[in-house]
Amino acid sequence: MKVTSSAVSLNVDDVPGSAAFLLEHFGFREEMSADGFASLTRDDVGMNVLFLRRGLATLPADQREEHAAGLILAFVVDDLEGELARLRAEGVTITMPLTEEEWGERAFQVRDPNGVIVQLVDWNAAAGR
């Protein structure tokens, strides 16, 4: 098997709302879109984020009404405090404050308009342990 690209696909009620959140606050760009579908990318992420409208007939019947619950879109960043300050200045609600785990991971979370969790992380603290 040869993998040529990767994506995470999330079912949400409001595709334009989730897409706009990643476009505005996280620097993604739209690669493709149609009614009930958006594919977003960044050159430095290594995967696309796809949003599909819940109930879309093209989804298998057992997946149509599922919501992107229990999933976290996690992005490792260089300047965690800087990103936290930037998002606050942009009016984004921080839904999990900056925390540090005993193994060195530091992270905070926000949620998009559909409740999709976006977590920004750094491992810089782990290097010094």
Side-chain angles (χ1 to χ4, degrees), residues 27-31 39-43 45-49:
F28 279 78
R29 68 179 183 283
E30 187 176 276
E31 191 168 74
S39 176
L40 308 177
T41 191
R42 279 182 58 120
D43 292 338
V45 170
M47 69 172 187
N48 284 24
V49 177

Side-chain angles (χ1 to χ4, degrees), residues 9-108:
S9 183
L10 306 168
N11 296 352
V12 298
D13 291 322
D14 176 15
V15 169
S18 283
F21 189 78
L22 287 187
L23 292 169
E24 179 179 348
H25 300 295
F26 293 94
F28 279 78
R29 68 179 183 283
E30 187 176 276
E31 191 168 74
M32 293 182 278
S33 68
D35 183 36
F37 166 80
S39 176
L40 308 177
T41 191
R42 279 182 58 120
D43 292 338
D44 58 354
V45 170
M47 69 172 187
N48 284 24
V49 177
L50 287 87
F51 293 110
L52 300 172
R53 186 179 59 238
R54 286 189 344 156
L56 206 57
T58 58
L59 291 170
D62 65 338
Q63 297 174 21
R64 284 185 195 141
E65 296 306 321
E66 295 293 321
H67 182 270
L71 299 171
I72 297 172
L73 284 178
F75 301 114
V76 178
V77 298
D78 290 335
D79 181 9
L80 193 62
E81 286 84 359
E83 294 301 324
L84 179 61
R86 178 186 63 79
L87 289 167
R88 281 187 176 140
E90 292 175 1
V92 176
T93 301
I94 308 305
T95 56
M96 182 186 90
L98 181 60
T99 60
E100 183 173 343
E101 302 296 342
E102 62 187 51
W103 55 86
E105 175 188 274
R106 299 180 323 134
F108 70 90

Side-chain angles (χ1 to χ4, degrees), residues 1-7 31 41 46-48:
M1 173 173 73
K2 179 182 178 186
V3 177
T4 59
S5 64
S6 299
E31 191 168 74
T41 191
M47 69 172 187
N48 284 24

